[in-house]
Structures are given as C-alpha cells and as structure tokens.
Coordinates of all heavy atoms in Angstrom, one line a residue:
M1 N 59.0 190.7 204.5 CA 58.2 189.4 204.6 C 56.9 189.6 205.3 O 55.8 189.1 204.9 CB 59.1 188.5 205.4 CG 58.4 187.1 205.7 SD 58.8 186.7 207.4 CE 57.2 186.2 208.0
L2 N 56.9 190.5 206.4 CA 55.6 190.8 207.1 C 54.7 191.6 206.2 O 53.5 191.5 206.2 CB 55.8 191.5 208.4 CG 56.5 190.6 209.5 CD1 57.0 191.5 210.6 CD2 55.5 189.5 210.0
R3 N 55.3 192.4 205.4 CA 54.6 193.2 204.4 C 54.0 192.4 203.3 O 52.9 192.6 202.8 CB 55.4 194.3 203.8 CG 55.7 195.4 204.8 CD 56.8 196.4 204.3 NE 56.5 197.0 203.1 CZ 57.3 197.9 202.5 NH1 58.4 198.3 203.1 NH2 57.0 198.4 201.3
K4 N 54.7 191.3 203.0 CA 54.1 190.3 202.0 C 52.9 189.6 202.6 O 51.9 189.3 201.9 CB 55.1 189.3 201.5 CG 56.1 189.9 200.5 CD 57.1 188.8 200.0 CE 58.1 189.5 199.1 NZ 59.3 188.7 198.9
V5 N 53.0 189.3 203.9 CA 51.8 188.7 204.6 C 50.6 189.6 204.5 O 49.5 189.2 204.1 CB 52.2 188.3 206.0 CG1 50.9 187.9 206.8 CG2 53.2 187.2 206.1
L6 N 50.9 190.9 204.8 CA 49.8 191.9 204.8 C 49.2 192.1 203.5 O 48.0 192.3 203.3 CB 50.3 193.2 205.4 CG 50.5 193.3 206.9 CD1 51.2 194.6 207.3 CD2 49.2 193.1 207.6
A7 N 50.0 192.0 202.4 CA 49.5 192.1 201.1 C 48.5 191.0 200.7 O 47.7 191.2 199.8 CB 50.7 192.1 200.1
K8 N 48.6 189.9 201.4 CA 47.7 188.8 201.1 C 46.5 188.8 201.9 O 45.6 187.9 201.7 CB 48.5 187.4 201.3 CG 49.6 187.2 200.3 CD 50.2 185.8 200.6 CE 51.6 185.7 199.9 NZ 52.4 184.7 200.5
V9 N 46.4 189.7 202.9 CA 45.2 189.7 203.7 C 44.1 190.5 203.0 O 44.3 191.5 202.4 CB 45.5 190.5 205.0 CG1 44.3 190.6 205.9 CG2 46.6 189.8 205.8
E10 N 42.9 189.9 203.0 CA 41.7 190.5 202.4 C 41.4 191.8 203.0 O 41.7 192.0 204.2 CB 40.6 189.5 202.5 CG 39.2 189.9 202.0 CD 38.4 190.6 203.1 OE1 38.6 190.2 204.3 OE2 37.7 191.5 202.8
E11 N 40.9 192.7 202.2 CA 40.7 194.1 202.7 C 40.0 194.3 204.0 O 40.4 195.1 204.8 CB 40.1 194.9 201.5 CG 40.3 196.4 201.6 CD 39.7 197.1 200.4 OE1 39.8 196.6 199.3 OE2 39.3 198.3 200.6
G12 N 38.8 193.6 204.1 CA 38.0 193.8 205.3 C 38.8 193.3 206.6 O 38.7 194.0 207.6
R13 N 39.5 192.2 206.5 CA 40.3 191.7 207.6 C 41.4 192.6 207.9 O 41.8 192.8 209.1 CB 40.7 190.3 207.3 CG 39.6 189.3 207.3 CD 40.1 187.9 207.0 NE 39.0 186.9 207.1 CZ 38.3 186.6 206.0 NH1 38.5 187.0 204.8 NH2 37.3 185.7 206.1
F14 N 42.1 193.2 206.9 CA 43.1 194.1 207.0 C 42.6 195.3 207.8 O 43.3 195.8 208.8 CB 43.6 194.6 205.7 CG 44.8 195.5 205.7 CD1 46.1 195.0 205.4 CD2 44.7 196.9 205.9 CE1 47.2 195.9 205.5 CE2 45.8 197.7 206.0 CZ 47.0 197.2 205.7
A15 N 41.5 195.8 207.5 CA 40.9 197.0 208.2 C 40.6 196.7 209.6 O 40.8 197.5 210.5 CB 39.6 197.5 207.4
R16 N 40.1 195.4 209.9 CA 39.8 195.1 211.3 C 41.0 194.9 212.1 O 41.1 195.2 213.3 CB 38.9 193.8 211.3 CG 37.5 194.1 210.8 CD 36.5 193.0 211.2 NE 36.7 191.8 210.4 CZ 36.3 191.7 209.1 NH1 35.6 192.6 208.5 NH2 36.5 190.6 208.5
G17 N 42.1 194.4 211.5 CA 43.4 194.3 212.2 C 43.9 195.7 212.5 O 44.5 195.9 213.6
L18 N 43.8 196.6 211.6 CA 44.3 198.0 211.8 C 43.5 198.7 212.9 O 44.0 199.4 213.7 CB 44.2 198.7 210.4 CG 44.8 200.1 210.3 CD1 46.3 200.1 210.7 CD2 44.6 200.7 208.9
A19 N 42.2 198.4 212.9 CA 41.3 199.0 213.9 C 41.7 198.4 215.3 O 41.7 199.2 216.3 CB 39.8 198.7 213.6
G20 N 42.1 197.2 215.3 CA 42.6 196.6 216.5 C 43.9 197.2 217.0 O 44.0 197.5 218.2
L21 N 44.7 197.5 216.1 CA 46.0 198.2 216.5 C 45.6 199.6 217.1 O 46.2 200.0 218.2 CB 46.8 198.4 215.2 CG 48.3 198.9 215.4 CD1 49.1 197.8 216.0 CD2 48.9 199.3 214.1
Q22 N 44.7 200.3 216.5 CA 44.3 201.6 217.0 C 43.6 201.5 218.3 O 43.7 202.3 219.2 CB 43.3 202.2 215.9 CG 42.8 203.6 216.3 CD 43.9 204.7 216.2 OE1 45.0 204.4 215.7 NE2 43.6 205.9 216.7
A23 N 42.8 200.4 218.5 CA 42.1 200.2 219.7 C 42.9 199.7 220.9 O 42.4 199.5 222.0 CB 40.9 199.2 219.5
G24 N 44.2 199.4 220.6 CA 45.1 199.0 221.7 C 45.1 197.5 222.0 O 45.4 197.1 223.1
W25 N 44.7 196.6 221.0 CA 44.9 195.2 221.2 C 46.3 194.9 221.6 O 47.3 195.6 221.1 CB 44.7 194.4 219.9 CG 43.2 194.4 219.4 CD1 42.2 195.0 219.9 CD2 42.8 193.7 218.3 NE1 41.0 194.7 219.2 CE2 41.4 193.9 218.2 CE3 43.4 192.8 217.3 CZ2 40.6 193.3 217.2 CZ3 42.6 192.3 216.3 CH2 41.2 192.5 216.2
Q26 N 46.5 193.9 222.4 CA 47.9 193.6 222.9 C 48.4 192.4 222.2 O 47.7 191.5 221.9 CB 47.9 193.3 224.4 CG 47.5 194.5 225.2 CD 48.4 195.7 225.1 OE1 49.6 195.6 225.3 NE2 47.9 196.8 224.7
F27 N 49.7 192.4 221.9 CA 50.4 191.2 221.4 C 51.5 190.8 222.4 O 52.4 191.6 222.6 CB 51.0 191.5 220.0 CG 51.7 190.3 219.4 CD1 51.1 189.1 219.4 CD2 53.0 190.4 218.9 CE1 51.8 187.9 218.9 CE2 53.7 189.3 218.4 CZ 53.1 188.1 218.4
E28 N 51.2 189.7 223.0 CA 52.2 189.2 224.0 C 53.1 188.2 223.3 O 52.7 187.1 222.9 CB 51.4 188.5 225.1 CG 52.3 188.0 226.2 CD 51.5 187.2 227.2 OE1 50.4 187.7 227.7 OE2 51.8 186.1 227.6
V29 N 54.4 188.7 223.0 CA 55.3 187.9 222.2 C 55.9 186.7 223.1 O 56.3 187.0 224.2 CB 56.5 188.8 221.8 CG1 57.4 187.9 220.9 CG2 56.0 190.0 221.0
K30 N 55.8 185.5 222.6 CA 56.4 184.4 223.2 C 57.7 184.0 222.6 O 58.6 183.4 223.2 CB 55.4 183.2 223.2 CG 54.2 183.3 224.0 CD 54.6 183.3 225.5 CE 53.4 183.5 226.4 NZ 53.8 183.7 227.8
H31 N 57.9 184.4 221.3 CA 59.0 183.9 220.5 C 59.1 184.8 219.3 O 58.2 185.1 218.6 CB 58.5 182.5 220.1 CG 59.4 181.8 219.1 ND1 60.1 180.7 219.3 CD2 59.6 182.1 217.8 CE1 60.7 180.3 218.2 NE2 60.5 181.1 217.3
R32 N 60.4 185.4 219.2 CA 60.6 186.2 218.0 C 62.1 185.9 217.6 O 63.0 186.2 218.4 CB 60.5 187.6 218.3 CG 60.9 188.5 217.1 CD 61.0 190.0 217.4 NE 59.7 190.6 217.8 CZ 59.4 191.3 218.9 NH1 60.4 191.4 219.8 NH2 58.2 191.8 219.1
V33 N 62.3 185.2 216.5 CA 63.6 184.9 216.1 C 63.8 185.4 214.6 O 63.0 185.1 213.8 CB 63.9 183.4 216.2 CG1 65.3 183.0 215.7 CG2 63.7 182.9 217.6
F34 N 64.9 186.1 214.4 CA 65.1 186.6 213.0 C 65.8 185.5 212.2 O 66.8 184.9 212.7 CB 65.9 187.9 213.1 CG 65.2 189.0 213.8 CD1 65.7 189.6 215.0 CD2 64.0 189.5 213.3 CE1 65.1 190.6 215.7 CE2 63.3 190.5 214.0 CZ 63.8 191.0 215.2
V35 N 65.3 185.2 211.1 CA 65.9 184.2 210.2 C 66.2 184.8 208.9 O 65.8 186.0 208.6 CB 64.9 183.0 210.1 CG1 64.7 182.3 211.4 CG2 63.6 183.4 209.5
K36 N 66.9 184.1 208.1 CA 67.4 184.6 206.8 C 66.3 185.2 205.9 O 66.4 186.3 205.4 CB 68.1 183.5 206.0 CG 69.1 184.1 205.0 CD 70.1 183.0 204.6 CE 69.5 181.8 204.1 NZ 70.5 180.8 203.6
R37 N 65.1 184.6 205.9 CA 64.0 185.0 205.1 C 63.0 185.9 205.8 O 62.0 186.2 205.2 CB 63.3 183.8 204.5 CG 64.2 183.0 203.5 CD 63.6 181.7 203.1 NE 62.3 181.9 202.5 CZ 61.3 181.0 202.7 NH1 61.4 180.0 203.5 NH2 60.1 181.2 202.1
G38 N 63.3 186.3 207.0 CA 62.4 187.2 207.7 C 62.4 187.0 209.2 O 63.4 187.0 209.8
V39 N 61.2 186.7 209.7 CA 61.1 186.5 211.2 C 60.2 185.3 211.5 O 59.2 185.1 210.7 CB 60.6 187.8 211.9 CG1 59.3 188.2 211.4 CG2 60.7 187.7 213.4
E40 N 60.5 184.6 212.5 CA 59.5 183.7 213.1 C 59.0 184.3 214.4 O 59.8 184.5 215.3 CB 60.2 182.3 213.4 CG 60.7 181.6 212.1 CD 61.5 180.4 212.4 OE1 61.6 180.0 213.6 OE2 62.1 179.8 211.5
V41 N 57.7 184.6 214.4 CA 57.2 185.2 215.6 C 55.9 184.5 216.0 O 55.1 184.1 215.2 CB 56.9 186.8 215.3 CG1 55.9 187.0 214.2 CG2 56.5 187.5 216.6
A42 N 55.8 184.4 217.3 CA 54.6 183.7 217.9 C 54.2 184.3 219.2 O 55.1 184.8 219.9 CB 54.8 182.2 218.0
G43 N 52.9 184.3 219.5 CA 52.5 184.8 220.8 C 51.0 184.9 220.9 O 50.3 184.2 220.1
Y44 N 50.5 185.7 221.8 CA 49.0 185.8 222.0 C 48.5 187.2 221.7 O 49.1 188.2 222.2 CB 48.7 185.4 223.4 CG 49.0 184.0 223.7 CD1 50.2 183.7 224.4 CD2 48.2 183.0 223.3 CE1 50.5 182.4 224.7 CE2 48.5 181.7 223.6 CZ 49.6 181.4 224.3 OH 49.9 180.1 224.5
V45 N 47.4 187.3 220.9 CA 46.7 188.5 220.7 C 45.6 188.6 221.8 O 44.8 187.6 221.9 CB 46.1 188.6 219.3 CG1 45.2 189.8 219.2 CG2 47.2 188.6 218.3
K46 N 45.5 189.7 222.5 CA 44.6 189.8 223.6 C 43.8 191.1 223.6 O 44.4 192.2 223.4 CB 45.4 189.8 225.0 CG 46.1 188.5 225.2 CD 46.8 188.5 226.6 CE 47.4 187.2 226.9 NZ 48.0 187.2 228.2
Y47 N 42.5 190.9 223.7 CA 41.6 192.1 223.8 C 40.2 191.7 224.3 O 39.8 190.6 224.0 CB 41.5 192.8 222.4 CG 40.9 192.0 221.3 CD1 39.6 192.0 221.0 CD2 41.8 191.1 220.6 CE1 39.1 191.2 219.9 CE2 41.3 190.3 219.6 CZ 39.9 190.4 219.3 OH 39.4 189.6 218.2
N48 N 39.6 192.6 225.0 CA 38.2 192.3 225.5 C 38.1 190.9 226.1 O 37.1 190.2 225.9 CB 37.2 192.4 224.3 CG 37.2 193.8 223.7 OD1 37.6 194.7 224.3 ND2 36.7 193.8 222.5
G49 N 39.1 190.5 226.9 CA 39.0 189.2 227.5 C 39.2 188.0 226.6 O 39.1 186.9 227.1
K50 N 39.5 188.3 225.3 CA 39.7 187.2 224.4 C 41.2 187.0 224.2 O 42.0 187.9 224.4 CB 39.0 187.5 223.1 CG 37.5 187.5 223.1 CD 36.9 187.6 221.8 CE 36.4 189.0 221.6 NZ 35.5 189.2 220.4
Q51 N 41.6 185.8 223.8 CA 43.0 185.5 223.5 C 43.1 184.5 222.4 O 42.4 183.5 222.4 CB 43.6 184.9 224.8 CG 45.0 184.4 224.6 CD 45.6 184.0 226.0 OE1 45.6 184.8 226.9 NE2 46.2 182.8 226.0
Y52 N 44.0 184.8 221.4 CA 44.2 183.9 220.3 C 45.7 183.7 220.1 O 46.5 184.7 220.2 CB 43.6 184.6 219.0 CG 42.1 184.8 219.1 CD1 41.7 186.1 219.4 CD2 41.2 183.8 218.9 CE1 40.3 186.3 219.5 CE2 39.9 184.0 218.9 CZ 39.4 185.3 219.3 OH 38.1 185.5 219.4
G53 N 46.1 182.5 219.8 CA 47.5 182.2 219.6 C 47.7 182.4 218.1 O 47.0 181.9 217.2
V54 N 48.8 183.2 217.8 CA 49.2 183.5 216.4 C 50.6 183.2 216.2 O 51.5 183.4 217.1 CB 48.9 185.0 216.1 CG1 49.4 185.4 214.7 CG2 47.4 185.3 216.2
Q55 N 50.9 182.6 215.0 CA 52.3 182.4 214.7 C 52.5 182.8 213.2 O 51.7 182.4 212.3 CB 52.6 180.9 214.8 CG 54.0 180.5 214.5 CD 54.4 179.1 215.0 OE1 53.8 178.6 216.0 NE2 55.3 178.5 214.3
I56 N 53.5 183.5 212.9 CA 53.9 183.9 211.6 C 55.3 183.5 211.3 O 56.2 183.8 212.1 CB 53.7 185.4 211.3 CG1 52.2 185.8 211.6 CG2 54.1 185.8 209.9 CD1 52.0 187.4 211.4
E57 N 55.6 182.8 210.2 CA 56.9 182.6 209.8 C 57.0 182.6 208.3 O 55.9 182.5 207.6 CB 57.4 181.3 210.4 CG 56.5 180.1 210.2 CD 57.0 178.8 210.9 OE1 57.0 178.9 212.2 OE2 57.4 177.9 210.3
P58 N 58.2 182.6 207.7 CA 58.3 182.6 206.2 C 57.6 181.4 205.7 O 57.9 180.3 206.0 CB 59.8 182.6 206.0 CG 60.4 183.2 207.2 CD 59.5 182.7 208.3
G59 N 56.6 181.6 204.9 CA 55.9 180.6 204.2 C 54.7 180.0 204.9 O 53.9 179.2 204.4
S60 N 54.4 180.4 206.2 CA 53.2 179.9 206.9 C 52.7 180.8 208.0 O 53.5 181.5 208.6 CB 53.4 178.5 207.4 OG 54.0 178.5 208.7
C61 N 51.4 180.9 208.1 CA 50.8 181.7 209.2 C 49.7 180.8 209.9 O 49.1 180.0 209.2 CB 50.1 182.9 208.6 SG 51.2 184.1 207.8
F62 N 49.6 181.0 211.2 CA 48.6 180.3 212.0 C 47.9 181.2 212.9 O 48.5 182.1 213.5 CB 49.3 179.2 212.7 CG 48.4 178.5 213.8 CD1 47.6 177.5 213.4 CD2 48.4 179.0 215.1 CE1 46.7 176.9 214.3 CE2 47.5 178.4 216.0 CZ 46.7 177.3 215.6
C63 N 46.6 181.0 213.1 CA 45.9 181.6 214.2 C 44.9 180.6 214.7 O 44.3 179.8 214.0 CB 45.1 182.9 213.8 SG 44.2 183.7 215.1
S64 N 44.6 180.7 216.0 CA 43.7 179.7 216.7 C 42.2 180.1 216.5 O 41.4 179.4 217.0 CB 44.1 179.6 218.1 OG 43.9 180.8 218.8
C65 N 41.9 181.2 215.9 CA 40.5 181.7 215.8 C 39.7 180.8 214.7 O 40.3 180.2 213.9 CB 40.4 183.2 215.5 SG 40.7 183.6 213.8
E66 N 38.4 181.0 214.8 CA 37.5 180.2 214.0 C 37.7 180.6 212.5 O 37.7 179.7 211.6 CB 36.1 180.6 214.4 CG 35.0 179.9 213.6 CD 34.9 178.4 213.9 OE1 35.4 177.9 214.9 OE2 34.4 177.6 213.0
D67 N 37.9 181.9 212.2 CA 38.0 182.4 210.9 C 39.3 181.7 210.2 O 39.2 181.2 209.1 CB 38.2 183.9 210.9 CG 38.2 184.5 209.5 OD1 37.5 184.0 208.6 OD2 38.9 185.6 209.3
A68 N 40.4 181.7 210.9 CA 41.6 181.1 210.3 C 41.5 179.6 210.2 O 41.9 179.0 209.2 CB 42.8 181.5 211.1
M69 N 41.0 179.0 211.3 CA 40.9 177.5 211.3 C 40.0 176.9 210.3 O 40.3 176.0 209.6 CB 40.5 177.1 212.7 CG 41.4 177.5 213.8 SD 42.9 176.6 213.9 CE 42.4 175.4 215.1
S70 N 38.7 177.5 210.2 CA 37.7 176.9 209.4 C 37.8 177.3 207.9 O 37.6 176.5 207.0 CB 36.3 177.1 209.9 OG 36.1 178.5 209.9
R71 N 38.2 178.6 207.7 CA 38.3 179.1 206.3 C 39.7 179.0 205.8 O 39.9 179.4 204.6 CB 37.7 180.5 206.3 CG 36.3 180.6 206.7 CD 35.7 182.0 206.3 NE 34.4 182.1 206.9 CZ 34.1 182.5 208.2 NH1 35.2 182.8 209.0 NH2 32.9 182.6 208.6
K72 N 40.6 178.7 206.6 CA 42.0 178.6 206.2 C 42.5 179.9 205.5 O 43.1 180.0 204.5 CB 42.3 177.5 205.3 CG 41.9 176.1 205.9 CD 42.7 175.0 205.2 CE 42.2 173.6 205.7 NZ 42.3 173.5 207.2
T73 N 42.1 181.0 206.2 CA 42.4 182.3 205.7 C 43.3 183.1 206.6 O 43.6 182.7 207.7 CB 41.1 183.2 205.5 OG1 41.3 184.3 204.8 CG2 40.5 183.5 206.9
L74 N 43.9 184.2 206.0 CA 44.7 185.1 206.9 C 43.7 186.0 207.6 O 43.1 186.9 207.0 CB 45.7 185.9 206.0 CG 46.7 185.0 205.3 CD1 47.6 185.9 204.3 CD2 47.6 184.3 206.3
C75 N 43.5 185.8 208.9 CA 42.5 186.5 209.6 C 43.0 187.9 210.1 O 44.2 188.2 210.0 CB 42.1 185.7 210.8 SG 43.5 185.5 212.0
K76 N 42.1 188.6 210.8 CA 42.5 189.9 211.3 C 43.5 189.9 212.4 O 44.3 190.8 212.6 CB 41.2 190.6 211.9 CG 40.5 189.9 213.0 CD 39.2 190.6 213.4 CE 38.5 189.8 214.5 NZ 37.2 190.3 214.8
H77 N 43.6 188.8 213.1 CA 44.7 188.6 214.2 C 46.1 188.5 213.5 O 47.0 189.1 214.1 CB 44.4 187.4 215.1 CG 43.0 187.4 215.6 ND1 42.0 186.5 215.1 CD2 42.3 188.3 216.5 CE1 40.8 186.8 215.7 NE2 41.0 187.8 216.5
I78 N 46.1 187.7 212.5 CA 47.4 187.6 211.7 C 47.8 189.0 211.2 O 49.0 189.4 211.3 CB 47.3 186.5 210.6 CG1 47.2 185.1 211.3 CG2 48.5 186.6 209.7 CD1 46.8 184.0 210.3
A79 N 46.8 189.7 210.6 CA 47.1 191.0 210.1 C 47.6 191.9 211.2 O 48.6 192.7 211.0 CB 45.8 191.6 209.4
F80 N 46.9 191.9 212.3 CA 47.3 192.7 213.5 C 48.7 192.4 213.9 O 49.5 193.3 214.2 CB 46.3 192.5 214.6 CG 46.8 193.0 215.9 CD1 46.8 194.4 216.2 CD2 47.2 192.2 216.9 CE1 47.3 194.9 217.4 CE2 47.7 192.6 218.1 CZ 47.8 194.0 218.3
V81 N 49.1 191.1 214.1 CA 50.4 190.8 214.5 C 51.5 191.3 213.5 O 52.5 191.9 214.0 CB 50.5 189.3 214.8 CG1 52.0 188.9 215.0 CG2 49.7 188.9 216.0
A82 N 51.2 191.1 212.2 CA 52.2 191.6 211.2 C 52.3 193.2 211.4 O 53.4 193.7 211.4 CB 51.7 191.3 209.8
M83 N 51.2 193.9 211.6 CA 51.3 195.3 211.7 C 52.0 195.7 213.0 O 52.8 196.6 213.0 CB 49.8 195.9 211.8 CG 49.1 195.9 210.5 SD 47.4 196.3 210.8 CE 46.6 195.9 209.2
A84 N 51.6 195.0 214.1 CA 52.2 195.4 215.4 C 53.7 195.1 215.4 O 54.5 195.9 215.9 CB 51.6 194.5 216.5
E85 N 54.2 194.0 214.7 CA 55.6 193.8 214.6 C 56.3 194.9 213.8 O 57.4 195.4 214.1 CB 55.8 192.4 214.0 CG 55.6 191.3 214.9 CD 56.7 191.2 216.0 OE1 57.9 191.0 215.7 OE2 56.3 191.4 217.2
L86 N 55.7 195.2 212.6 CA 56.3 196.3 211.8 C 56.4 197.6 212.6 O 57.3 198.3 212.5 CB 55.5 196.5 210.5 CG 55.6 195.3 209.5 CD1 54.6 195.5 208.4 CD2 57.0 195.3 208.9
A87 N 55.3 197.9 213.4 CA 55.3 199.1 214.2 C 56.4 199.1 215.2 O 57.1 200.0 215.5 CB 53.9 199.3 214.8
F88 N 56.6 197.9 215.8 CA 57.6 197.7 216.8 C 59.0 197.9 216.2 O 59.9 198.7 216.8 CB 57.5 196.3 217.4 CG 58.7 195.9 218.3 CD1 59.0 196.5 219.5 CD2 59.6 194.9 217.8 CE1 60.1 196.1 220.2 CE2 60.7 194.5 218.6 CZ 60.9 195.1 219.8
Y89 N 59.3 197.3 215.1 CA 60.6 197.5 214.4 C 60.8 198.9 214.1 O 61.9 199.5 214.3 CB 60.7 196.7 213.1 CG 60.5 195.2 213.3 CD1 60.0 194.4 212.2 CD2 60.7 194.5 214.5 CE1 59.8 193.1 212.4 CE2 60.5 193.2 214.7 CZ 60.0 192.5 213.6 OH 59.7 191.1 213.7
A90 N 59.8 199.6 213.5 CA 59.9 201.0 213.1 C 60.3 201.9 214.4 O 61.1 202.7 214.3 CB 58.7 201.5 212.4
A91 N 59.6 201.6 215.5 CA 59.8 202.4 216.7 C 61.2 202.1 217.2 O 61.9 203.1 217.7 CB 58.7 202.0 217.7
E92 N 61.7 200.9 217.2 CA 63.0 200.6 217.7 C 64.0 201.3 216.8 O 65.0 201.9 217.4 CB 63.2 199.1 217.6 CG 62.4 198.3 218.7 CD 62.8 198.7 220.1 OE1 63.9 198.2 220.6 OE2 62.1 199.5 220.7
R93 N 63.9 201.2 215.5 CA 64.9 201.8 214.6 C 64.9 203.3 214.8 O 65.9 204.0 214.8 CB 64.6 201.5 213.2 CG 65.0 200.1 212.9 CD 65.1 199.8 211.4 NE 65.0 198.4 211.1 CZ 63.9 197.8 210.7 NH1 62.8 198.5 210.5 NH2 63.8 196.5 210.5
S94 N 63.7 203.9 215.0 CA 63.5 205.3 215.2 C 64.2 205.8 216.5 O 64.8 206.9 216.6 CB 62.0 205.7 215.3 OG 61.9 207.0 215.6
A95 N 64.3 204.9 217.5 CA 65.0 205.2 218.7 C 66.4 204.7 218.7 O 67.1 204.6 219.7 CB 64.2 204.5 219.9
H96 N 66.9 204.3 217.5 CA 68.3 203.9 217.3 C 68.6 202.6 218.2 O 69.7 202.5 218.7 CB 69.3 205.0 217.6 CG 69.0 206.2 216.8 ND1 69.2 206.3 215.5 CD2 68.5 207.4 217.2 CE1 68.8 207.5 215.1 NE2 68.4 208.2 216.1
R97 N 67.6 201.8 218.3 CA 67.8 200.5 218.9 C 67.7 199.4 217.9 O 66.9 199.5 217.0 CB 66.8 200.3 220.1 CG 67.1 201.1 221.3 CD 66.2 200.6 222.5 NE 64.7 200.8 222.1 CZ 64.0 201.8 222.6 NH1 64.5 202.7 223.4 NH2 62.7 201.9 222.2
Q98 N 68.3 198.3 218.2 CA 68.2 197.1 217.4 C 67.0 196.3 217.9 O 67.0 196.0 219.1 CB 69.4 196.2 217.6 CG 70.3 195.7 216.5 CD 70.1 196.1 215.1 OE1 69.8 197.2 214.7 NE2 70.2 195.1 214.2
P99 N 66.0 195.9 217.1 CA 64.9 195.1 217.6 C 65.5 193.8 218.2 O 66.3 193.2 217.6 CB 64.1 194.8 216.4 CG 64.4 195.9 215.4 CD 65.9 196.2 215.7
Q100 N 65.0 193.5 219.4 CA 65.6 192.3 220.0 C 64.8 191.0 219.8 O 63.5 191.1 219.7 CB 65.6 192.5 221.6 CG 66.6 193.6 222.0 CD 68.0 193.3 221.6 OE1 68.6 192.3 222.1 NE2 68.6 194.1 220.8
E101 N 65.5 189.9 219.7 CA 64.8 188.6 219.6 C 64.3 188.2 220.9 O 64.7 188.7 222.0 CB 65.8 187.5 219.1 CG 66.4 187.7 217.7 CD 67.0 186.5 217.2 OE1 67.6 185.7 218.0 OE2 67.0 186.3 215.9
V102 N 63.2 187.4 220.9 CA 62.7 186.8 222.1 C 62.8 185.3 221.9 O 62.2 184.7 221.1 CB 61.2 187.2 222.4 CG1 60.7 186.5 223.6 CG2 61.1 188.7 222.5
R103 N 63.8 184.7 222.7 CA 64.0 183.3 222.5 C 63.0 182.5 223.3 O 62.6 182.9 224.4 CB 65.4 182.9 223.0 CG 66.5 183.5 222.1 CD 66.7 182.5 220.9 NE 67.6 183.1 220.0 CZ 67.9 182.5 218.8 NH1 67.4 181.3 218.5 NH2 68.7 183.1 218.0
P104 N 62.5 181.4 222.7 CA 61.5 180.6 223.5 C 62.1 180.1 224.8 O 63.3 179.7 224.8 CB 61.2 179.4 222.5 CG 62.2 179.5 221.5 CD 62.9 180.8 221.4
T105 N 61.3 180.2 225.8 CA 61.8 179.7 227.1 C 61.4 178.2 227.2 O 60.4 177.8 226.8 CB 61.1 180.4 228.3 OG1 59.7 180.5 228.0 CG2 61.6 181.8 228.4
S106 N 62.3 177.5 227.7 CA 62.1 176.0 227.8 C 62.0 175.6 229.3 O 62.2 176.4 230.2 CB 63.2 175.2 227.2 OG 64.4 175.7 227.7
Ligands
ZN1 ZN1 42.6 184.9 214.0

C-alpha cells in the first residue's frame, strides 16, 4: 500500500523525498495502526527547523505543506514518510522483530 502511494508520487517530488531520507529528515510517529488494507500512519516530518504534519492511510494522504494543500498533490513529505515507513519495516524484519503499532494517546 505504501509502495502504491510512492508509485503515484511525481518523479521530482519522489527524488526530493529520497534526498530527505538520505539527509536524515526525522519522522516523529504519533500514530501507526495496521489495518486490513495497509497502515494508517500519522506524525511530523522535521528538518531544518521546519515541521509538517503528514497522514497516510489506505485511500487518502495528507500533508500540511503548501505544495500538498494548494496543489492537492502527493508532496515530497508524503513520499518521505512512505519511504521511511518502508525502511522501518524492512529494518525490523531484518532484525527479526515485528513492526510495532503506535496507538494514539488520548
Ligand atoms: Zn508536504
């Protein structure tokens, strides 16, 4: 499902999200719940003193940045979160751990 999101990201934004991953952008997870069709994940992308709220779930993506809000596009932050999540799952599986959910705190 995250790979399907990435497949819909335009090439330039995909590259900027990947560059962010390489540059050490942080994804602070607030919520990660595995659902039948994939994952519902939300949190903050942080770098260079900037912070954007991103949410990805089956059938919808959101980011608080100008690019996503005004152009209604899949921005580099959404691409970055999808990549960071995939990298996290791969690392967990590689270490023989089950990726853990993060339940929203109330
Ligand atoms: Zn964005």
